[in-house]
Amino acid sequence: GARARGLDWPARADRTDAMAALMRGIIGRCCGGPSTSAGGLHHHDQPINQPAVGYPTSAPLTFVLNGQTVEVADPDPKILVVDWLRQEGGYTGTKRSCAEGGCGACTIMIQELSQDGKTWKKGLPINSCLTPLVSLGGCKVTTVEGVGTEEEGYHPIQKKMADCNASQCGMCTPGFVVNMYALLQENPKPTAEEVERRFDGNLCRCTGYRPILDAFHSLATTDIEDLAGAPCATRGERGAGAATLPACAGGCAKGGSCKKAGGGEAAGIDAARARREAGGVTFYRSGDNSTTWAQPSTLAQLCDLMSSSSSPYEIVASNTGIRGVKKYYDNAAWGGDDAGTAAAPSETLLINISRIQELNFVQQNSNGVELGCLTTLRDAIEALADSGGVKGAALSAHIAKVASQQVRAAATIGGNLSLHIKYPAFPSDVATILAGAGASATLVDPETKKESSVAVEDLKSVEGLVLKSVVIPLGSPADKFFTDRVALRHQNAHAIVNAAFGLDLDPAGGTIRGARIFFGGVSAAGVVRAPKTEAILIGKSPSADGLMGQALSALSQEVVPDDGRQKQYKSSLIQSLFYKFLLGLQPQLSPQLASAAAGFDRPVSTGLVDYKGAQDPNEFPVSENMPKVEALTNTSGETLYVDDLPEYRSSLHCAFVLARTGPCSSFQLDFDDAIAAAGFVCHVDASSLSSSGLQNAVSPSGEPLFAPAKSGVAYVGQRLAMVVCDTEANALEAARAVKVSYGPVTRDPVLTIEDAIAAKSFYNSKAEAFSKGDAPSALSSSAVKFSGVAECGHQHHFYLEQQTAVAARSSDGIKLAVSTQGPGLIAAMVSSTLGVPKTQVEVVQGFAGGAYGGKSSKSVPCALAAAVGTHFCGGRPVKCKMEINDNLAMLGSRRPHRLEYQVGCTEEGKINAIVATLYYQQGAYLDFGDMGGLDVLQMSLDGVYNCENWQLSGFECKTDTPGNTFCRGPVFLPGTFLIESVLDHVAHQVGREAEEVKSLNLYKKGDVSLAGQTLADSNARATFDLCVSNADFGDRAKEVEDFNAKNALVKRGLAICPSKYMMNPCTGFPSLVSVQEDASVLIQHTGCEIGQGLNTKAVQTAALELGVACDAIKCAATSSRIAKTGNVTGGSTTSEAICASTVLACQEIARRMAPVKQANPDAKWADLVSKCYSQGIDLAARAVYDGSQRQPGVLPDQQDNGPSPYVQYGCAAVEVQVDVLTGETQVLRVDLVQDNGISLNTAVDVGQIQGSFIMGLGYMLTEEFVWDRTGKRTGSAGSNVSNGTWEYKPMSSLDIPIEFNVTLLPKSVNSHGVLGSKSVGEPPLILSAGVVSAVRKAVQAFRRQQGGGKEKEFCAISAPATVEKVQLATGLNLQDLTLVGRGLSPVR
């Protein structure tokens, strides 16, 4: 469990402080002590009220936290709730991941005092990373620790998540738990749809969401009214956590002090009520005197503050836009001028208006609906839905698609409008749809107190004014109103284009008396209106002959998007969305067009799992469907990650100074402003390392830790230096204060493979070459010959735990805790950098909050920074924790690939020859050595298809981007996508269905693969046939064909994708097993638990071998003291390797115990262990499986089939639906079959399959890299625009397949694997390539329908197949469409 894996330090002078910090982390609250940032937390009976100097004195901040009233004296308005909870409160279950409201890991529940002042309102989920601490006054806060813990008892939500294997790395899990807990507070009996749509603001990279939704849906189908309360560990009953439940009746030892009973809340309720009754203005001031927080309680107080302030001020309510969005429009996210302290005013007044009731109201009258500016998006949804009429319903439905549950619960109508006014390029949905609805804004002049009204479309500034409310006229029942938006992801993604259309119709004749046409996202100037197009509509019937053609033509000329990357797509969307609106107006719409007008209503998703055939009851607990050993601590937030570890009071923090220009020949650093910054301790750059005799490298390939000034900058985001300060916040501010002067920019940045080809920028001047057979001759003699190009792009690893490391000097050297996949590798690099023996370096890894290959070599820079910081700071502990924007800008990703191919095949589609050139983009630096080219790509490029003749050339591209690295399924994901693209092209070329061509070319048993692997045990055909059967492929293909014939502008595609994955040997990972005197068992292995269930499988294996219960066995943190440099967890085989070594170690222990067992055949395990200890028998054994040991059925047998010990096979059938007008893709159903041998743990392995496939789905559909070539978007040419949750979009819970079925291939025993198993972490990922094949089929269906020659072209869409690429690939031209007939004749 978490406690067994927790990391502690041997401390010297810091021993007392460290113990205090450790206790604070364990009990989850601080009992006093001086404030270091936001102010100390104190129990209510021990208030500390220290009057502030220079501004009015306010009472301590008082709120209820997990059932206890707390006070914070003189809180700092710059501190966010998530930071205070973690740093001061000790509540580390609330995770700080993206820190911009985009992932949900920081979710807490907040409740305000009810109107009667006696109870709390229903709880709402919010992002604590966006919420200032000082905004909590008078509120009740519940964190995951308040839901349930090991000590207090786990909540049924937590138990259900654990039982359903709904947590893997665990970093996201607390956020899901709290969000579900808040849902039960709102509605103890939620519908399945409410559960399904609840988690649009919670990202999970591991599970693929299916088990999470299954867990929560199972709760929703039972009587769960009593689940709204918190658990009572003493009596096993529910407490009074919910407002709907009675107070605890007492009767236990804790009595009224139990936080679950709410006994500690009375003082908080009293304080909140007194605060409300007192009114007045609350003031708080930051510790550095740079920021004052003023919180008025009336509109008059607000006006007085605004009119009398001599300092610059900013109006804030929820802080969601200022913290989470603003930085993407003032360039701060990319290190622009507004990113640091240099451009900030010397003193800022933040006026928080969230408690002004005069601004927080909803009222409806004859004029329409009036929403106070403090109306949250959530409340606006409800109020507009209740208002009646088509306009209210449309507005409500649209706002429900904006942002996430957590953001909508806090973000306000006024805040959203104000952000758009200040940053018009922000594509505010609220601004567009309110303008379209004819809404007006009510403004108050703070000097005169007079109100004025202005149309939202004309609202260009609110500077110096109070935005009081917006008034939305509802119009007449005959009016028509329609809104729409298109985004990169279905939910929680900003609009690419949004639109609102309104028509004022004559009730008598139906003619158009007035029109309003608005678009957002098309202009940096803000919302755009189309008056000329409106004029064409006025006076006509919506179905008038020829009207559509006139309107579309006028619109195409009137609303023209700004020049930029998406201009063509946005131009098409402008017409498409308007066309959809016109379709919906038609009284007699062609059935073919009805689906285009109606849009897509996503149903509740489902999924089935069949794993029985992959179990062996004789091996239980191995292969048993058993939850992970860390599952419950994951759900309670008690799993400790590096950033959760207790800190010394002497701890320091470092932050990198990153290049904001590149490439350039040289640069100079000016640290003066950083040295003057608060909390500054030291700075380190390349010259510092050189002068101190330290090595400046993060890998043997030559990438420096810090770029030498005279060598210049290789890419935007490169590390130039680091700054060490007393706090993380101060370190970040100081790093941004460093001034960098750049030398001449040497050239336009080389950012893509195409750039590298044009510039001939390659690591290998001569092409790599590989051949098999006689490809040129076979190509020449083929009946069918053609050529094409296939491409796939980058992918961020997107682990929710950002790169984190902490280093401290210990009595025997230096000790580090690092979130990594390779402690031994980190230790070797620290040893080399500092010039000390490796025996003086220990690196420990407990849990990693996600990795996916991104924490193998790419965890080195962060670890070295912490170690170097400790070295330069006299041994003081130093932590390096990356912010998401810098993390994604600085470190590499999955390598993009491009395949230029010529293919020769028969008329039936049997491939004879492939001649191709491969390009793979490495970036500015090689990884730990060369990641490989054709030598590794040949393992995947053939897929499961037998082609006898190959001729390949390869180039490794050098670009001005971060050095790329391994990412889950490296080589095999791009290789599979590329060969699947080729097979799709073959099918198109010969006029056959792709599944027929793929079946024709499948490898057979005994065939030899491109990499020389004899496929003696090939299950390619078995998985293919079972997948076809499970998916009912034949009948459904006919249904898809029928659907496409009946729907002109919505098309479906059904495709199949088989796979082959050649596994690495599972050797070289030692395991040390120790049986303790109390008969418990400790495993110290050399793998890293990163969410894949390695610890669980090791425990199961040891339990099988020793014959003891799993709960008697624990795994310790992984230490470099036993992990070698090469023990880097990856390649999916580490779990097997650890299990094999654990088997050998346990067998050695059993051998030593055998004589005692023989003498005491009836002795129980504990007695047997005791007797062994009394006889001095050593019950600790270390073993390493090196491939030479043989045990039939247990350890792999001898095989000489080729470079891999065995091959993994799988197959997936994927059905999609594509909206031709927008390019939006819905994944309707996936049927997946995976050959897993005899699973080591079916629950864990199915979870790996689901999560792996969904990660691949993101790569194939939404996870797009965008490079800023000119610097117009980010301020720096060569920047990665997609460096945060605002622009980069992994799959959300509303993007996964609506039906997702998984089957483990039955009766597949792998004699070449451990205990008959096959690895599972990465192979399912590559099956996601099938979704692009299905999209191609849908696009080709539309092209065939349209004719005109486009249907003859192969749809060579690249990955990711974004909405933009898909829509443009259709070749849709709305000028060719009409509203009548079959929908496809020219416009009349």
Side-chain angles (χ1 to χ4, degrees), residues 22 97 156 172 199 260 274 310 348 355 464 466 544 546 587 717 753 842 891 963 1099 1158 1167 1346:
L22 179 61
S97 177
C172 71
F199 303 98
K260 304 302 180 187
S310 59
T348 300
R355 301 303 169 88
V466 178
I753 288 177
E842 183 180 11
L891 301 174
V1099 165
Q1158 188 174 6
D1167 294 334
Q1346 294 299 88

Side-chain angles (χ1 to χ4, degrees), residues 18-354:
M19 184 58 68
L22 179 61
M23 292 302 296
R24 189 164 66 242
I26 292 175
I27 67 174
R29 62 181 68 90
C30 174
C31 298
S35 167
T36 59
S37 54
L41 183 158
H42 310 280
H43 289 293
H44 187 260
D45 57 354
Q46 296 176 320
I48 293 181
N49 186 4
Q50 299 174 342
V53 178
Y55 60 97
T57 301
S58 292
L61 179 72
T62 305
F63 58 96
V64 174
L65 176 59
N66 292 335
Q68 294 293 313
T69 299
V70 296
E71 290 183 353
V72 181
D74 203 18
D76 190 330
K78 294 171 67 175
I79 297 298
L80 299 169
V81 172
V82 65
D83 296 324
W84 184 87
L85 285 171
R86 295 177 57 79
Q87 297 167 11
E88 298 297 324
Y91 292 94
T92 57
T94 302
K95 305 304 179 187
R96 190 179 193 273
S97 177
C98 73
E100 54 187 28
C103 72
C106 69
T107 301
I108 60 174
M109 186 180 78
I110 191 168
Q111 295 170 265
E112 295 184 347
L113 198 64
S114 62
Q115 282 301 116
D116 63 11
K118 297 179 180 180
T119 58
W120 301 105
K121 295 180 181 179
K122 292 181 178 180
L124 297 174
I126 65 167
N127 295 115
S128 62
C129 71
L130 302 178
T131 308
L133 172 67
V134 290
S135 68
L136 294 185
C139 295
K140 178 181 177 181
V141 176
T142 303
T143 69
V144 69
E145 292 92 343
V147 176
T149 62
E150 181 180 10
E151 180 183 354
E152 298 284 351
Y154 294 113
H155 192 280
I157 294 172
Q158 295 165 318
K159 292 179 181 178
K160 181 59 70 173
M161 285 197 75
D163 291 343
C164 291
N165 195 41
S167 174
Q168 291 186 22
C169 83
M171 190 71 179
C172 71
T173 309
F176 277 96
V177 168
V178 174
N179 198 354
M180 184 64 184
Y181 183 74
L183 174 60
L184 295 182
Q185 291 281 321
E186 299 168 44
N187 180 8
K189 295 183 178 180
T191 65
E193 185 175 0
E194 287 172 330
V195 172
E196 184 88 1
R197 299 190 179 281
R198 182 68 179 191
F199 303 98
D200 54 8
N202 292 83
L203 294 181
C204 177
R205 193 56 148 171
C206 295
T207 67
Y209 304 99
R210 184 69 269 149
I212 296 174
L213 294 175
D214 288 341
F216 293 155
H217 281 309
S218 69
L219 289 174
T221 58
T222 59
D223 185 6
I224 56 174
E225 186 168 356
D226 64 334
L227 301 189
C232 173
T234 305
R235 296 187 300 161
E237 299 177 2
R238 314 308 307 158
T244 57
L245 299 179
C248 178
C252 72
K254 290 189 175 184
S257 66
C258 175
K259 66 182 181 181
K260 304 302 180 187
E265 297 183 11
I269 292 177
D270 291 343
R273 187 167 53 247
R275 176 193 181 99
R276 176 191 293 176
E277 293 170 354
V281 182
T282 303
F283 288 93
Y284 297 113
R285 195 173 181 85
S286 62
D288 60 4
N289 294 324
S290 65
T291 304
T292 297
W293 174 278
Q295 187 166 291
S297 55
T298 67
L299 181 57
Q301 292 168 359
L302 170 62
C303 291
D304 289 342
L305 279 170
M306 294 173 65
S307 60
S308 63
S309 175
S310 59
S311 302
Y313 65 82
E314 189 164 13
I315 305 295
V316 298
S318 65
N319 205 48
T320 55
I322 293 175
R323 178 73 187 178
V325 179
K326 173 186 170 185
K327 64 179 180 177
Y328 289 99
Y329 294 93
D330 65 8
N331 289 344
W334 300 280
D337 290 340
D338 291 342
T341 56
S346 57
E347 185 171 350
T348 300
L349 174 64
L350 296 178
I351 303 178
N352 178 259
I353 61 174
S354 62

